[in-house]
Amino acid sequence: GNSVTQMEGPVTLSEEAFLTINCTYTATGYPSLFWYVQYPGEGLQLLLKATKADDKGSNKGFEATYRKETTSFHLEKGSVQVSDSAVYFCALRYQAGTALIFGKGTTLSVSS
Amino acid sequence: EPEVTQTPSHQVTQMGQEVILRCVPISNHLYFYWYRQILGQKVEFLVSFYNNEISEKSEIFDDQFSVERPDGSNFTLKIRSTKLEDSAMYFCASKALNSPLHFGNGTRLTVT
């Protein structure tokens, strides 16, 4: 079946460190891939997305590249800030109009 | 910016009781969803709703669950007879055609 696997958290970094949160997926066909972020006390917000192989989604300094050969969509940021502390969810949609399938989420904690 | 609002933010109920979780989607959105997240687990899809009917549902969404859009603005999730394992954070989401999902802040349901 279709599923998403994320690296276990929490991830604890110092400000300005490099961030990678791994995400791999299993899906039939060619899914669309997403990263959502949940700041404390808030709902999930779309961070970035990619709809086909080799697409790169980017937003707020975060990037992720859709790698079909490795079925991955790892989230990266070159220099994290304290305000990036949140829970990050990788998700896929295997077909237009169907529901998102989420990973467990990875908690990021950035200290100054 | 318009947002999805959910009430209450926290609901405590006794096992076997009925609960109704309420959501007000963004006003021009047409697609409505409920997701839940048991503590420490994945965000799980429950049901999607379009054109006044369920368009997709997961295995979790059994006969104990129902959804309704009673008045053109609210979108409710009812659990008829709650079980301990229904304790989770429940997220409502809505979207327009070709737009990302917008999530509410969630309702934390605690079944005792």
Side-chain angles (χ1 to χ4, degrees):
Chain A
N2 302 298
S3 65
V4 173
T5 303
Q6 290 182 237
M7 62 187 287
E8 294 283 334
V11 174
T12 303
L13 296 173
S14 298
E15 209 165 21
E16 299 183 5
F18 184 86
L19 168 71
T20 300
I21 300 178
N22 289 340
C23 171
T24 56
Y25 67 89
T26 302
T28 53
Y30 303 95
S32 295
L33 302 174
F34 305 81
W35 277 100
Y36 278 78
V37 58
Q38 184 181 28
Y39 298 104
E42 299 184 13
L44 285 77
Q45 303 171 26
L46 178 65
L47 180 60
L48 53 85
K49 69 176 184 179
T51 57
K52 60 183 187 297
D54 300 324
D55 267 2
K56 178 186 283 188
S58 61
N59 186 24
K60 300 181 181 180
F62 291 89
E63 293 183 339
T65 301
Y66 188 144
R67 300 282 189 205
K68 186 171 181 298
E69 63 276 13
T70 54
T71 62
S72 65
F73 193 55
H74 304 321
L75 182 68
E76 297 182 335
K77 186 174 186 182
S79 177
V80 293
Q81 305 301 311
V82 173
S83 57
D84 293 326
S85 298
V87 183
Y88 292 82
F89 294 90
C90 186
L92 71 82
R93 176 178 288 127
Y94 63 89
Q95 187 175 326
T98 59
L100 287 175
I101 297 170
F102 286 89
K104 280 190 178 184
T106 303
T107 299
L108 171 65
S109 178
V110 181
S111 57
S112 57
Chain B
E1 185 177 334
E3 56 183 30
V4 176
T5 56
Q6 290 186 242
T7 54
S9 57
H10 191 189
Q11 173 93 44
V12 181
T13 189
Q14 289 189 326
M15 196 167 52
Q17 295 297 304
E18 174 184 286
V19 294
I20 297 176
L21 308 182
R22 302 182 189 280
C23 170
V24 179
I26 294 173
S27 61
N28 63 339
H29 284 185
L30 301 175
Y31 302 86
F32 313 108
Y33 303 81
W34 282 101
Y35 286 81
R36 78 173 185 190
Q37 185 182 27
I38 296 170
L39 188 63
Q41 303 298 314
K42 293 185 179 188
V43 175
E44 301 171 296
F45 166 71
L46 294 179
V47 65
S48 60
F49 193 85
Y50 169 72
N51 201 26
N52 286 320
E53 61 182 26
I54 290 173
S55 48
E56 187 182 2
K57 61 182 181 179
S58 71
E59 293 176 351
I60 302 167
F61 194 86
D62 61 20
D63 291 345
Q64 293 299 311
F65 291 87
S66 63
V67 289
E68 198 175 30
R69 189 157 161 77
D71 55 14
S73 61
N74 291 283
F75 180 53
T76 61
L77 175 69
K78 183 194 291 186
I79 309 175
R80 288 190 183 81
S81 178
T82 50
K83 304 186 285 289
L84 293 176
E85 54 265 37
D86 293 327
S87 296
M89 181 74 88
Y90 287 80
F91 293 103
C92 174
S94 70
K95 70 186 290 290
L97 187 64
N98 296 324
S99 83
L101 271 179
H102 291 255
F103 283 84
N105 288 354
T107 293
R108 180 167 296 286
L109 176 64
T110 301
V111 182
T112 61

